[in-house]
């Protein structure tokens, strides 16, 4: 493991937004325990809090597979142009809001697009699409921050297209997968999966202590629902009614306030609610930050 730090001549912080439009969104979540929401873009990190948007002043890397954890965040992706970092970044971890990061595994070898991490457990799941000598193609997990890996057989998972992986916040053995054929759940690290429902085109899933939330796109309409482990009950959450929203690409739940939910669409619209969907605020419109 080695660490990459910012240039000493550059002071890293979240400050005044210089670029108020982003093109590619790669994830969102409450890093370092929140309370601010952080989004990962093609050109670095942005933070949204009580005073509106702020932008990371440096370390503007293309963080793919961005996953918030209580200690900070895990990610993969590509380094900012002009830096000396290898391409791709492999699996990295930051505990100082992105000012520096540790190279955990596969630095310069693999770019993980499918990446999940337990918010408190730090269990890491990846679906590797770029086989190497050290890691074959398929689903793998690590409980020691990438030092060792176990490959999973994924028995019972019968869909060709997955939306994302979602790890349980504290249970290292629980992982969910959204797919075009429904929502899958495993309680043994991913060796066996059960189909929780057959909702067509699950576009994203995230896990909470009791279950989680998932988004789907049914009959050209976006839906957001809760699910519970060990129960068939699902509850639909009201989405913004300003207009018919695009398919949901990302979901984040504030770990300290389960009624605070952020969603982002494929059109780079971002909405946030602090009362479980009764009221929504638009904080980004087609990639444009709303102050």
């Amino acid at each position: 493991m080695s660490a990459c730090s910012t240039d000493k001549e550059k002071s890293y912080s979240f400050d005044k937004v210089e670029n108020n439009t982003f093109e590619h969104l790669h994830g969102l979540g409450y890093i370092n325990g929140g309370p601010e929401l952080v989004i990962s873009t093609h050109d670095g990190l942005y933070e949204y809090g009580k005073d509106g948007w702020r932008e990371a002043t440096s370390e503007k890397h293309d963080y793919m597979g961005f996953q918030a954890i209580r200690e900070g965040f895990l990610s993969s992706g590509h380094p900012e142009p002009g830096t000396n970092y290898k391409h791709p970044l492999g699996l990295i971890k930051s505990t100082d809001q992105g000012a520096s990061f540790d190279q955990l595994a596969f630095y310069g070898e693999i770019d993980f697009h499918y990446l999940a991490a337990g918010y408190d457990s730090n269990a890491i799941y990846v679906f590797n699409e770029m086989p190497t000598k050290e890691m074959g193609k398929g689903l793998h997990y690590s409980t020691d921050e990438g030092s060792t890996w176990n490959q999973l057989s994924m028995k019972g998972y019968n869909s060709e297209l997955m939306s994302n992986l979602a790890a349980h916040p504290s249970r290292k053995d629980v992982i969910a997968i959204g797919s075009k054929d429904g929502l899958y759940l495993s309680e043994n690290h991913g060796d066996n999966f059960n189909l929780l429902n057959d909702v067509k085109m699950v576009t994203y899933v995230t896990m909470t202590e009791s279950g989680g939330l998932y988004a789907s796109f049914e009959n050209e309409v976006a839906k957001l629902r809760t699910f519970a482990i060990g129960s068939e009950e699902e509850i639909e959450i009201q989405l913004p009614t300003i207009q018919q929203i695009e398919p949901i690409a990302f979901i984040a739940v504030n770990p300290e306030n389960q009624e605070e939910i952020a969603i982002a669409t494929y059109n780079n619209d971002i909405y946030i609610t602090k009362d479980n969907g009764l009221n929504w605020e638009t904080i980004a419109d087609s990639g444009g930050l709303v102050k």
Side-chain angles (χ1 to χ4, degrees):
M1 177 189 297
S2 59
C4 292
S5 302
T6 57
D7 188 324
K8 292 182 179 180
E9 295 181 357
K10 298 179 181 179
S11 60
Y12 181 90
S13 66
F14 284 94
D15 208 338
K16 180 181 177 181
V17 173
E18 298 294 335
N19 181 8
N20 61 9
T21 302
F22 62 88
E23 293 185 6
H24 302 289
L25 185 64
H26 297 315
L28 70 170
Y30 295 84
I31 70 175
N32 296 94
E36 294 82 12
L37 174 73
V38 170
I39 68 171
S40 165
T41 76
H42 183 75
D43 300 302
L45 303 179
Y46 290 80
E47 177 187 270
Y48 182 82
K50 62 180 181 178
D51 297 322
W53 286 103
R54 298 194 302 168
E55 182 180 2
T57 55
S58 60
E59 299 299 299
K60 296 180 181 295
H61 308 298
D62 184 8
Y63 290 118
M64 304 288 292
F66 177 82
Q67 288 288 298
I69 57 175
R70 192 172 298 278
E71 293 179 352
F73 67 86
L74 292 159
S75 191
S76 191
H78 314 282
E80 178 184 7
T83 66
N84 293 322
Y85 302 142
K86 290 183 180 180
H87 170 87
L89 292 175
L91 177 65
I92 59 172
K93 177 183 179 181
S94 175
T95 59
D96 52 13
Q97 298 184 310
S100 64
F101 55 79
D102 290 328
Q103 303 156 354
L104 299 184
F106 307 109
Y107 180 54
E109 296 182 61
I110 302 177
D111 175 21
F112 294 110
H113 289 197
Y114 294 100
L115 169 63
Y119 195 80
D120 290 301
S121 73
N122 284 6
I124 303 170
Y125 288 84
V126 297
F127 188 90
N128 184 25
E129 301 172 284
M130 305 170 64
T132 67
K133 291 182 179 180
E134 292 78 20
M135 176 179 279
K137 183 177 180 178
L139 182 64
H140 304 255
Y141 81 93
S142 174
T143 56
D144 55 12
E145 297 199 329
S147 295
T148 59
W149 294 90
N150 296 282
Q151 184 162 7
L152 294 316
S153 59
M154 298 183 72
K155 295 175 183 176
Y157 180 79
N158 298 314
S159 183
E160 295 180 0
L161 178 66
M162 65 176 68
S163 59
N164 72 298
L165 312 174
H168 189 277
S170 61
R171 290 181 56 183
K172 296 181 179 182
D173 59 334
V174 177
I175 179 176
I177 298 180
S179 81
K180 70 179 183 65
D181 298 303
L183 180 63
Y184 287 85
L185 182 74
S186 173
E187 296 186 69
N188 63 355
H189 296 286
D191 266 332
N192 301 89
F193 281 90
N194 293 315
L195 185 63
L196 294 187
N197 63 40
D198 58 358
V199 172
K200 300 304 178 185
M201 202 52 67
V202 174
T203 58
Y204 197 83
V205 56
T206 190
M207 295 206 70
T208 63
E209 283 295 326
S210 59
L213 286 80
Y214 75 92
S216 61
F217 198 62
E218 306 166 49
N219 299 318
E220 304 300 312
V221 177
K223 300 284 187 180
L224 181 64
R225 298 185 179 97
T226 68
F227 68 94
I229 299 175
S231 171
E232 295 183 357
E233 181 182 12
E234 296 186 356
I235 300 173
E236 186 166 342
I237 296 177
Q238 177 181 303
L239 287 172
T241 55
I242 300 172
Q243 60 185 7
Q244 182 173 314
I245 71 170
E246 296 292 314
I248 295 170
F250 300 102
I251 308 168
V253 179
N254 187 332
E256 303 303 324
N257 176 14
Q258 299 288 300
E259 292 194 343
E260 182 173 323
I261 304 165
I263 60 172
T265 73
Y266 282 97
N267 194 44
N268 288 337
D269 302 317
I270 305 178
Y271 306 91
I272 192 167
T273 176
K274 296 188 177 182
D275 52 17
N276 206 40
L278 294 178
N279 298 280
W280 291 90
E281 178 184 1
T282 302
I283 60 174
D285 184 1
S286 299
L289 304 180
V290 178
K291 298 182 179 181

